[in-house]
Every structure is written in structure tokens, then in C-alpha cells.
Amino acid sequence: MSTSEPRCSDVVIVGAGPIGLETAIACHQAGLTATVIEAGPIGNTMNRWTPQTRWFSSNERIAIAGVPLRTPDQTKCTREQYLTYLCNVAQQFAVDVNCYQRVESVVREEDGFLVTSRHGEEICRWKSRGVVLATGGTDHPCRLGVPGEDLPHVEHRLREPVNYFSRRVLIVGGRNSAVEGALRLHHAGARVAVSYRGEEFPSQSIKYWLYPEFYGLVASGKIQAYLGTVPLEFAAGYAQLGSVAHPNQPPTKILADQVVVQIGFEQDKTLLERVGVKLADAARHPVYDPVTMETNVAGVYVAGTVIAGTQSSSYKIFLENCHDHALRIASHLSGRPLPQELPLQSRMPGNWEPES
């Protein structure tokens, strides 16, 4: 089933996260019509976070479109509070958001683009002058590639902590997500062990309010730490850990009812490649003009953390330093000058080359 005629919009924005919504609002304020298409629910990336996860950034830095973000106890925003905030902002500005519509193609036509998306058997089409890819960079969990990683008790996303009560849980990883997961599962009644390839936990990569508590629990033995180790194999009820420094040593067997792998995320490049956007460097980030956010494909823009490609352990591009993208894109599409004062700008170079 498909729509008989494509819907028309000045700009189609792929991704209903905070920067996608902020770009739609900025375009509307610049006199443009904007449509947002999202493969999942609004705020899809945050929706995949563990319940009650708190942002690292302050509320002021993750607020969008000039709408204040406040929490009842003035603390940093939780996942649930932020998802509610995004819904409220979308309603306040009457943003045309189309959720659960996965974009299948972006085709250049004589007068712009034809964007096709699918929801089950339903096919929808939009005609637009410009397309903005605000699809983020944490689409798929990174994998270890070891035997047994696909067993049912090995997970790559942390669920509601109550699911791990009284279980022996091995967490693989030693940075922010792994440490936060270890603490939450410990407090939920799990018996937690952590395997990390480094010789010590990197305190600079862990939320400052989590590290002292985590360090104390490790020092007291309440959370077991296996530093300098990597998983070699997962099996029902246990894991085999190998030494990084001494790979020829016999592996250490760790009893584990559940395993949670928390070693980062990878960006899905499929749509970027399908559209023809050039990708650069080891992170394979999109090539774009940092002044306008336009890619090498004329009329196709990038916004938000998608600009960084797959970020490894050292994240540099966050929501809080991407707010200028919305105004840059809206100004370029509408032909209006940029405001003299812009929000905090990202520091990722564009490596822009115009399409020949």
C-alpha cells in the first residue's frame, strides 16, 4: 500500500532526536515547511537507554529550541524526563513528526528530492528541496567477536536492573556505561563482576559522581574487577577471560548467569552511503561544509552527532555542542543570514569538498 501522491515539504529531516526536532523548528521559524521522519519512537536513541539513566550534560545544555528544561529536584535530567520533554517540545511547535517510518531511499529529481519510507506494508513518499540526516552515531552496539557472544544470556544493552536480581552478572567494559551499569546492578541485588582490558579504570571517562562509589565498591571486593582481561569465550553459566599482557597464560573461568557487553556503539552508515555522502577518516564521518552543514551532495545536510561518524572511546561530539547545526541549515536553505550569535559550535572539522 502506498500514498497516491507524494507529500510536499521544503525540507525532510531524517531522525526525531533533539537536533532533528530543533532543526525542524529552526526551519519553520525561517519560513520553511519541515517534515521529520523517524524509524522508531521520538528520541529513539534515548529510548534505548536503560531506564532512569541520567544525562551527563546539564539541563541547560541539552534544552532545545529555547524551551527551558527543568526537573522537579533541579538535578540532571533522566531518560524518562527527557523523552517527555521532547514530546512536549514537538507538540508545542506542532512539528510534523512521522514515527516508525524507516527511510528506504532518497532520490534526486530535477526539482529536489523524493524521499521514500516504509511502515510495515505502507509506503510513504515526500518531495522536498532539501534533506537533513540527523540520524546520530550510536545505532548498533559494538561486538567482541568471540565464541558464544550470540547466546541468549549475553546482552549488549542493559535492561531494567530488576531483571538481574540475585544473578551473577559479568559486565564487559570499563568506561562510563559499564561502570554505571555495574553500580545499578549491584544496587539492584546482582552479584557483579567487571572485565576491562585496561590495567586501571579510566576515571576521566566515567561520570564524576559515579567513580568514587564504584572505586570504593571495587576496593572492598563488593564488585569483582578483572583488570587487564578480555573475554575469550562465553558459555552457559560462565565466561573465559584471557590476560591482555600475558596471552599465553591459561584463561580464568568466571561464573556468570548473565553477561552484559558495554564497549560502545557503531554508527549505521547505510543511509549515508545510499545517498552518496562521502565518508572520511577512520571514524568514516560524513564530509560536510562546517558553515552550512551541507554535504558533498548538494541539498543534503547533516546535523547532530551524525557528523562524527563512529566515535571510539574518546567522544568529542555531543548534543550540547551541536545546537548551531539547526540554525546553519535553516539559514542556508532559506537564504537568510546566520544570527550573529550562535549556540556552542561543534569542533569536528567538516573536510568539505564540493561535488564535481
Side-chain angles (χ1 to χ4, degrees), residues 43-66:
N44 196 22
T45 296
M46 283 70 70
N47 191 65
R48 295 193 295 261
W49 290 0
T50 306
Q52 294 302 316
T53 298
R54 288 192 183 273
W55 282 80
F56 181 85
S57 303
S58 64
N59 296 339
E60 292 81 3
R61 287 179 172 266
I62 59 175
I64 63 172

Side-chain angles (χ1 to χ4, degrees), residues 114-132:
L114 178 66
V115 180
T116 303
S117 68
R118 177 183 291 272
H119 174 57
E121 296 299 317
E122 181 183 9
I123 297 175
C124 297
R125 295 179 294 164
W126 287 267
K127 290 179 68 70
S128 68
R129 291 198 293 114
V131 174
V132 179

Side-chain angles (χ1 to χ4, degrees), residues 190-263:
R191 288 169 283 172
V192 179
V194 179
S195 168
Y196 179 55
R197 65 181 301 113
E199 292 299 324
E200 59 182 22
F201 292 104
S203 58
Q204 73 280 3
S205 298
I206 300 169
K207 294 175 182 176
Y208 62 84
W209 64 88
L210 299 178
Y211 184 75
E213 181 184 9
F214 176 73
Y215 181 83
L217 289 170
V218 169
S220 67
K222 293 180 180 179
I223 291 178
Q224 297 294 317
Y226 295 88
L227 292 168
T229 67
V230 291
L232 301 178
E233 179 187 10
F234 300 120
Y238 70 91
Q240 298 276 15
L241 304 181
S243 170
V244 174
H246 305 285
N248 295 324
Q249 285 185 352
T252 301
K253 183 177 180 179
I254 303 297
L255 297 179
D257 305 308
Q258 300 282 149
V259 177
V260 184
V261 180
Q262 299 272 270
I263 57 172

